[in-house]
Amino acid sequence: MASDDARTVFHDVIVVGGGFAGVAVTRRLARKGVDVLLVDKNNYHQFQPLLYQVATAQIGTSEVARPLRAIFRRYRRVRVVVDEVTGVDPATKQVTLADGTICRAKALVLAPGASANYFGIDGAREHTYPLYSLDDAIRLGAKMVAHLDDADSPAGMKRTLDLIVIGGGPTGVELAGAVAENVNTAIAAAFSEEFARGIRIKLVDMVPTVLGPFSDKSQAYAREQLQKMGVDLRLGVKVTEVRPDGITLDDGTTLDGDVIVWAGGLKAPQLIADTALPQGKGGRVDVNPDLTAPGFDGVYVLGDSANITDSKGRQLPQLGSVAQQSGKWAARNIVADLTGRARTPFRYLDKGIMAMIGRGAAVAELGPHRRQMQGPIAFLSWLVVHAALLSGVWQRLGAAASWAVSYLTPSRPQIVLGHVDTD
């Protein structure tokens, strides 16, 4: 690293974002001896697929969050900077930090994640709880616990408690199932079965089914299991308005809601929108086959900020496996850039998709040919795969211990929360 003034620093590669893609590209480059500056506004890497379990007290924050400096402590060529990136100039491969520092590099990797896409629905931004970050999960968990305590107070003993989940994709289904699991076990045990029966969970989506990327068989199984657990499915209807106390649907129906969760879609963050990069669906960058941004040589866009296609031109879903694999492939192409070799088009290895519904209930479609599993076998497969994907040994051990308690007993050891601002 060198500098020509106190406010400008130079690196071989700058990586913006410490998510799946950012960690993967940084780790692979570090192993090749490349000088990398990794910038993230948080000092930790979060395992996003398990955030719903933090919100529902099935696991703790230490299982899904691992300090970035701990991940890269053995790599001397990696410098982790905790700061917010306020500006990106892809033409010069330059980023500006909140403290005014300007960072430049030979190659720039943008993987800043995603933000909630509210699709212009009135009140959605103001009155819903998104679930796309660790802070979101903590805030949602605190809100649900606060409502439980309020409903069980002398003034609220006869109140019902209504949770609305907007979005029937994996995040919405897994959250609704986890809350229903808590209601039928932990809450019924800690309060009473009568109190638990007063809690109503509603899942709403504009499409007529849940788990859209899955097969008809998996979708039918998920619907059946959710309904068996007491989740009220409102499918094929669009949310037109969100209020502090509920929502309105396009068929004129209104639903009461004490806590309203947004799991209805993602878009690229404002940082991407503010650049000169060409943007496509969801505000994401339609990257070239080699993962570079069109018109900006040496600028790579990965993860939830990119629309990535496979070798047949089909757009890949916004999955952690796509982000990880694209990060590793981008590192290969960056090394090729630095050594004067040609880049190669990204090739994705399809490992399949999974979703948890509840204790002993999950769906899994494995491999490119989508070998299907439902029920306990898929449930166990889900546990094994997600434990293996966690970032560190202690995270895996902690998650395994928490799952043992959560799924073998009605106890929820993570349910004790201090004061958290939920507004």
Side-chain angles (χ1 to χ4, degrees), residues 114 166 231 358:
I166 301 174
V231 178

Side-chain angles (χ1 to χ4, degrees), residues 246-257:
I247 63 175
T248 301
L249 305 178
D250 63 357
D251 62 1
T253 303
T254 60
L255 301 177
D256 294 333

Side-chain angles (χ1 to χ4, degrees), residues 3 86 123 145 287 318 354 356:
S3 65
T86 58
V145 170
V287 296
Q318 311 306 128
M354 298 175 139
M356 171 76 77

Side-chain angles (χ1 to χ4, degrees), residues 83-129:
D83 204 340
E84 184 173 0
V85 175
T86 58
V88 174
D89 184 352
T92 59
K93 304 180 187 66
Q94 174 179 299
V95 301
T96 303
L97 306 183
D99 67 358
T101 301
I102 295 172
C103 306
R104 294 175 183 165
K106 299 174 184 177
L108 174 62
V109 178
L110 299 176
S115 60
N117 190 349
Y118 297 105
F119 301 102
I121 297 174
D122 289 343
R125 181 184 299 277
E126 295 81 6
H127 305 306
T128 65
Y129 288 78

Side-chain angles (χ1 to χ4, degrees), residues 178-263:
V179 174
E181 182 74 40
N182 280 355
V183 169
N184 296 327
T185 55
I187 294 173
F191 295 85
S192 69
E193 292 187 5
E194 181 181 2
F195 179 81
R197 285 195 292 270
I199 300 173
R200 298 180 298 206
I201 306 164
K202 305 156 193 173
L203 189 149
V204 182
D205 201 308
M206 64 183 295
V207 299
T209 188
V210 296
L211 299 180
F214 289 73
S215 67
D216 291 346
K217 182 179 179 181
S218 294
Q219 292 172 358
Y221 177 84
R223 291 195 303 270
E224 178 184 352
Q225 292 299 315
L226 287 170
Q227 290 172 326
K228 188 181 298 183
M229 296 166 71
V231 178
D232 180 7
L233 300 180
R234 304 294 181 99
L235 304 175
V237 286
K238 183 180 178 181
V239 177
T240 58
E241 181 189 16
V242 180
R243 307 179 309 278
D245 60 352
I247 63 175
T248 301
L249 305 178
D250 63 357
D251 62 1
T253 303
T254 60
L255 301 177
D256 294 333
D258 297 295
V259 182
I260 307 170
V261 181
W262 183 265

Side-chain angles (χ1 to χ4, degrees), residues 311-373:
S311 58
K312 296 181 180 179
R314 296 172 298 196
Q315 185 169 317
L316 297 172
Q318 311 306 128
L319 294 175
S321 59
V322 176
Q324 285 182 325
Q325 291 185 43
S326 65
K328 294 176 182 178
W329 202 280
R332 177 190 297 185
N333 280 341
I334 290 171
V335 171
D337 291 341
L338 297 175
T339 56
R341 293 182 288 111
R343 302 178 191 134
T344 55
F346 175 55
R347 292 197 299 272
Y348 176 60
L349 175 60
D350 189 349
K351 297 179 180 180
I353 48 180
M354 298 175 139
M356 171 76 77
I357 302 165
R359 185 180 312 203
V363 291
E365 299 182 3
L366 305 180
H369 300 295
R370 294 292 190 263
R371 180 187 175 191
Q372 297 183 28
M373 295 188 294

